[in-house]
Amino acid sequence: MNNSDYNKAEKAVNETENNLKNAANDVKWKVNDLADKARDYINEKRNNDEEATQEDWLERVKSNITDTWDDIKDKADEAWEKTKDAAEDVKAEWRKKTN
């Protein structure tokens, strides 16, 4: 197997790593953002003279987390497929060279 094949495999791994890092960075509600959203929720309820409840708040969070999880899962699936494809290419090249 030549250097070019190893370079392709390494590049695929690097792209996968970057995709996963980007997915983690793209999470919609980071801790500070979540705290801001909680304050906004409380103020919204106060301004509308409504009761802020834990159940209502958790429903909002749950909805957002579901969307976020779907986004992360999609990125992870994409990264997995790219890495798997690159690994299969490297294996095929290795087989060609050793047979």
Side-chain angles (χ1 to χ4, degrees), residues 62-76:
K62 181 180 169 184
S63 173
N64 188 273
I65 287 173
T66 300
D67 293 343
T68 301
W69 171 247
D70 289 342
D71 292 345
I72 290 171
K73 188 172 82 60
D74 290 345
K75 293 276 188 188

Side-chain angles (χ1 to χ4, degrees):
M1 197 152 104
N2 64 34
N3 251 356
S4 158
D5 296 327
Y6 285 112
N7 290 342
K8 286 179 191 174
E10 187 175 5
K11 181 180 177 188
V13 170
N14 289 340
E15 286 177 7
T16 299
E17 179 184 24
N18 288 334
N19 284 339
L20 291 173
K21 283 180 181 177
N22 289 338
N25 288 334
D26 290 343
V27 172
K28 292 177 184 169
W29 283 13
K30 296 177 184 161
V31 174
N32 291 336
D33 193 28
L34 186 59
D36 289 342
K37 298 278 187 191
R39 286 185 203 94
D40 291 345
Y41 168 76
I42 292 167
N43 287 329
E44 174 189 322
K45 292 297 182 175
R46 180 184 299 142
N47 292 338
N48 292 328
D49 199 26
E50 297 174 354
E51 181 182 358
T53 65
Q54 182 180 12
E55 294 80 20
D56 185 36
W57 168 243
L58 291 177
E59 279 301 313
R60 288 188 184 197
V61 172
K62 181 180 169 184
S63 173
N64 188 273
I65 287 173
T66 300
D67 293 343
T68 301
W69 171 247
D70 289 342
D71 292 345
I72 290 171
K73 188 172 82 60
D74 290 345
K75 293 276 188 188
D77 285 345
E78 181 182 318
W80 172 259
E81 288 302 319
K82 285 182 179 179
T83 303
K84 188 175 77 170
D85 292 346
E88 290 301 320
D89 291 346
V90 169
K91 282 185 200 173
E93 286 298 318
W94 181 254
R95 285 186 201 113
K96 278 192 231 175
K97 304 236 186 247
T98 57
N99 288 335

